[in-house]
Structures are given as C-alpha cells and as structure tokens.
Amino acid sequence: GGPRAPPHWFPGGGPGGSLQLVPSPGGRRLQLMVEGGTEPGTLTSVFGALRGRFEPDCYVIVGARRDSLGPGAAAAGVGTALLLELARFFAAIGREGFQLRRTLLFVSWDGAEFGHLGATEWLEVTPTPL
C-alpha cells in the first residue's frame, strides 16, 4: 500500500518482472525470507589440452565460466565463445606446424553463480591435469 522502493535500494538493477518491493506506509523494517534448496547437485567442468613440446609439464590455463543462471548468462556465453575460438585457433596453427612451448589447457567451468565452485573444485583436485 505504500510507495515503490527507490531504485538505489537495488544495486544491479533491482527485481525484475512483476516483482516489486512496496514498503508499508511509514514503515522502514523489511523481513526477507529466502527458501533456497539445499539439494546436492553435480557440476561439470570440461577441459581440453594441447600438449607443449618443450615443457609439457608446465601449464597455461585458459578458462571461462559456463552457467546460465541470473544476469551473468550472457557473460558466460561470451566467455565460452572466446574460449572455443582460442582453442580452435591454437589447434589450427598446431596443424600447420606451430609448436607450443608449454601445455595449453582450455577449461570450461560450471557453477560460477555459486561462488565459482566449478573452478575452485577443479583446481583443488587437479594438481596435474594430464
């Protein structure tokens, strides 16, 4: 029944769609309850490698997050497209005879919207990926 909440209350654009925050007249207290699921899920990280010739056990990691939750979905799509194009480019010049000094790892991490869990878990359990 009161006026709409001012835009500066919503860093990053505020609620979308039909969701509105309308405080009570004269009231300044807001109680928000979030009922998020706590079901375990599976994160899938995908990687490919182009082995280096001179220092194959030294790695250069090129990675991008991959998920489709929230407003970051477009950024994840752009990052994935760039990652795939870089992989395609290096594979093409490798077929033409170019030799890498170090091994290049191309990694697409899942779970970025959940605290970068995909990248964190992958790096914690993958000390030597090849």
Side-chain angles (χ1 to χ4, degrees), residues 35-52:
E35 294 183 24
T38 57
E39 297 289 323
T42 301
L43 297 177
T44 303
S45 295
V46 180
F47 76 95
L50 294 173
R51 187 175 284 281

Side-chain angles (χ1 to χ4, degrees), residues 23 61 66 72 94 111:
I61 300 173
R66 183 191 75 257

Side-chain angles (χ1 to χ4, degrees), residues 81-127:
L82 289 170
L83 179 70
L84 293 173
E85 285 302 313
L86 281 171
R88 185 186 342 225
F89 169 76
F90 278 102
I93 64 173
R95 284 190 296 273
E96 294 174 3
F98 181 80
Q99 296 177 350
L100 295 168
R101 179 172 195 87
R102 295 179 177 97
T103 297
L104 273 178
L105 294 178
F106 297 95
V107 187
S108 177
W109 287 294
D110 194 4
E113 292 296 325
F114 297 105
H116 299 288
L117 289 179
T120 302
E121 293 298 321
W122 189 82
L123 290 169
E124 284 178 352
V125 301
T126 313

Side-chain angles (χ1 to χ4, degrees), residues 2-81:
R4 281 189 71 148
H8 69 274
W9 282 17
F10 303 104
S18 61
L19 180 64
Q20 294 184 34
L21 175 62
V22 182
S24 302
R28 294 182 186 255
R29 178 174 280 183
L30 172 68
Q31 182 177 0
L32 177 65
M33 294 175 52
V34 177
E35 294 183 24
T38 57
E39 297 289 323
T42 301
L43 297 177
T44 303
S45 295
V46 180
F47 76 95
L50 294 173
R51 187 175 284 281
R53 178 161 187 234
F54 303 104
E55 296 178 75
D57 294 332
C58 293
Y59 306 101
V60 176
I61 300 173
V62 182
R65 66 188 187 111
R66 183 191 75 257
D67 55 23
S68 59
L69 296 174
V78 170
T80 298

